[in-house]
Amino acid sequence: MVRNLLHSLFAMIACMAIPSTTCAQTCRVNIGTNAQGTVSYMEVYEYDYVSEKPAFPGGDRNLMTFINATRNYPVNEYRKGIQGRVTCSFIVNTDGSVSHISVLRGVSPALNREAIRVLSKMPEWTPGRHDGRAVPVRVVRSVPFRK
């Protein structure tokens, strides 16, 4: 936590010294383990720090329409009254494809799996851009489950 705060503070100080058009915060995302057992990471930009944010086709309203049309409430969770929002992160790649979906805050294993399934079905986004070039961007969105 302290390390993240120091990193953020350093990034802000660096941004003050560098023109704002070239400054963006990045993070490392775990993308899995290779055959040798070494964890691999991908450097991606944070959503709030790119000059042009990635966009779902038609905007956020269409994203919610897509989620509502694609989501299937798991029967057992519905019957038990289990509800809430599954918060996930994913990467919008430079080609607009979505990858590396993970649950940041889950509700139940079944709802978490359904949220990942729904997000994996999304069409390509308009990629995020920084300084005029497409960059991979980490996006955080929630999938709601309400009775």
Side-chain angles (χ1 to χ4, degrees):
M1 174 107 165
V2 172
R3 184 174 178 214
N4 288 341
L5 289 173
L6 289 174
H7 185 272
S8 296
L9 180 61
F10 178 74
M12 286 190 294
I13 291 170
C15 285
M16 290 179 200
I18 301 170
S20 62
T21 59
T22 62
C23 203
Q25 187 168 341
T26 62
C27 66
R28 288 177 16 169
V29 175
N30 181 334
I31 58 171
T33 306
N34 64 20
Q36 292 77 31
T38 305
V39 177
S40 297
Y41 294 93
M42 176 181 184
E43 191 83 14
V44 298
Y45 286 78
E46 291 287 356
Y47 182 84
D48 288 334
Y49 293 92
V50 292
S51 49
E52 294 177 44
K53 296 174 178 13
F56 185 83
D60 284 343
R61 179 172 285 174
N62 281 2
L63 174 58
M64 284 313 301
T65 300
F66 171 83
I67 288 172
N68 290 333
T70 309
R71 179 189 55 222
N72 295 318
Y73 210 125
V75 174
N76 287 338
E77 269 63 17
Y78 186 82
R79 287 182 183 153
K80 293 177 185 175
I82 298 172
Q83 58 184 0
R85 293 187 319 176
V86 178
T87 303
C88 297
S89 73
F90 54 90
I91 305 300
V92 176
N93 296 298
T94 57
D95 63 358
S97 64
V98 173
S99 66
H100 302 92
I101 302 166
S102 64
V103 174
L104 299 177
R105 184 173 182 195
V107 176
S108 75
L111 294 183
N112 298 349
R113 281 190 303 274
E114 179 59 11
I116 290 171
R117 186 194 70 79
V118 168
L119 295 177
S120 70
K121 300 283 186 189
M122 289 189 295
E124 288 187 354
W125 289 47
T126 301
R129 301 181 83 71
H130 192 71
D131 288 342
R133 66 180 176 88
V135 294
V137 178
R138 184 174 79 124
V139 177
V140 176
R141 292 288 186 270
S142 294
V143 177
F145 293 89
R146 300 270 184 256
K147 282 189 84 169

